[in-house]
Amino acid sequence: MSTVRAGALGSAGAPTLPHANAPKELNEYMEKYHVSSLLSSIVRQLATEQPADPVQAMLEAVKAWPARKLIIGGAPASGKGTQCERIVQAFGVTHISTGDLLRQHVKDKTPIGKEVDGIMSAGKLVPDDLITDMVLDKLKQPDCQHNGWLLDGFPRTPAQAQALRDAGIEPDVFLYLEVPDEILEERVTGRMQDPQTGKVYHSRFNPPPRDVEPRCTRRSDDTPEKVRERLKAFHANLQPILDLYADKVKTIDGNRGAKDVFSDVQTNIKA
């Protein structure tokens, strides 16, 4: 029987399994019980955490299977994007961003994508029910079923949260990144982007090189007034969502370095 060679890793750090040469029965078994997803998740976790006792860490990872179901919430500039990258790397879950889903549906010209394209072309907001349908469809896909999922900034409204619950979708944990409004405003209004490379800088925390700064641009809505409007809308929707997930919410101080924040994120996911 073909076996996995020690150290045979794919580009994503997952074991490279010789499915093409393996007996049909083995492939059917591995697909039925999601063995590849399990092994991939364990390898990613070992690579990220590098535990002193890898055998014990692997045993704990197996006990924690099946894969996790997570929601991360927070205001604009609270650090969700950075933490999502780390969560995906550590736990192998499928990252779900409504913005990414919208763009993909429009690109693929799906029925939802065509409807969304028409709405956005008219300068209107995409309605809650359409976004929710899109997310629910994604959650049914094999990658989410096998690897678990991470909803990034969704649900944004009480109606979206209730729709998830009505569909029987419940997270294991709801990670809420809490950052004071004045800090959020400073983070947003200082953002700058190099249009040539796409790299994002910050005028105070991460200023661009002198030769790059003259060409950097700022978003038209990254003004103090616009940021306050966005934060007001965010807070108006926040409490009903937190109330709905009261037994799942873990509030994390997001006003720290990304490494420290992720330490708390990991602890709460594993709890």
Side-chain angles (χ1 to χ4, degrees):
M1 179 182 294
S2 299
T3 58
V4 179
R5 292 182 292 105
L9 301 178
S11 59
T16 303
L17 300 171
H19 293 301
N21 300 322
K24 179 182 178 181
E25 295 79 6
L26 176 59
N27 280 328
E28 291 176 349
Y29 171 84
M30 297 187 73
E31 182 177 353
K32 179 178 180 180
Y33 294 104
H34 315 312
V35 176
S36 295
S37 297
L38 174 58
L39 292 176
S40 298
S41 176
I42 291 173
V43 170
R44 273 190 292 263
Q45 186 171 331
L46 290 176
T48 301
E49 300 178 11
Q50 298 182 11
D53 187 346
V55 174
Q56 184 61 34
M58 286 190 284
L59 289 173
E60 291 176 0
V62 171
K63 290 178 181 177
W65 196 260
R68 294 165 173 87
K69 297 172 286 186
L70 312 169
I71 295 177
I72 186 166
S78 60
K80 296 190 300 296
T82 298
Q83 295 306 314
C84 283
E85 290 177 3
R86 293 176 179 241
I87 292 169
V88 170
Q89 179 64 29
F91 298 99
V93 292
T94 298
H95 177 227
I96 302 175
S97 160
T98 54
D100 291 344
L101 286 180
L102 283 169
R103 285 186 287 273
Q104 192 62 50
H105 274 278
V106 171
K107 180 181 177 182
D108 295 343
K109 297 182 180 181
T110 65
I112 289 178
K114 292 177 181 178
E115 187 173 354
V116 167
D117 194 30
I119 292 171
M120 295 174 68
S121 296
K124 299 178 181 178
L125 293 176
V126 181
D128 271 356
D129 58 347
L130 195 57
I131 293 178
T132 301
D133 288 345
M134 183 178 61
V135 171
L136 290 175
D137 179 69
K138 176 61 180 176
L139 290 171
K140 295 175 184 176
Q141 301 307 309
D143 56 345
C144 293
Q145 294 290 314
H146 297 173
N147 303 331
W149 42 263
L150 169 63
L151 285 174
D152 177 2
F154 184 93
R156 294 180 185 272
T157 68
Q160 291 174 348
Q162 189 60 55
L164 282 182
R165 173 154 290 182
D166 291 344
I169 305 297
E170 291 288 339
D172 298 323
V173 61
F174 186 120
L175 304 159
Y176 172 57
L177 303 183
E178 188 173 55
V179 180
D181 281 6
E182 59 270 20
I183 301 297
L184 294 168
E185 184 176 328
E186 184 178 19
R187 288 182 182 180
V188 173
T189 55
R191 290 192 299 204
M192 311 166 68
Q193 185 173 31
D194 180 355
Q196 291 187 13
T197 64
K199 183 166 181 167
V200 177
Y201 298 95
H202 191 280
S203 56
R204 177 182 174 188
F205 304 123
N206 180 32
R210 289 186 178 181
D211 61 324
V212 173
E213 185 174 3
R215 67 172 183 256
C216 283
T217 59
R218 297 175 186 263
R219 282 176 46 171
S220 60
D221 59 348
D222 279 354
T223 63
E225 296 75 22
K226 291 292 186 181
V227 172
R228 288 171 198 147
E229 287 180 17
R230 282 149 64 189
L231 289 175
K232 183 178 180 181
F234 169 77
H235 288 302
N237 286 311
L238 176 64
Q239 197 55 54
I241 295 174
L242 295 182
D243 289 344
L244 189 67
Y245 293 110
D247 60 333
K248 304 290 179 66
V249 172
K250 302 296 180 183
T251 301
I252 296 169
D253 179 6
N255 190 23
R256 297 173 294 162
K259 185 176 180 180
D260 292 332
V261 173
F262 185 63
S263 177
D264 283 357
V265 165
Q266 264 196 128
T267 298
N268 281 291
I269 290 175
K270 292 180 177 181

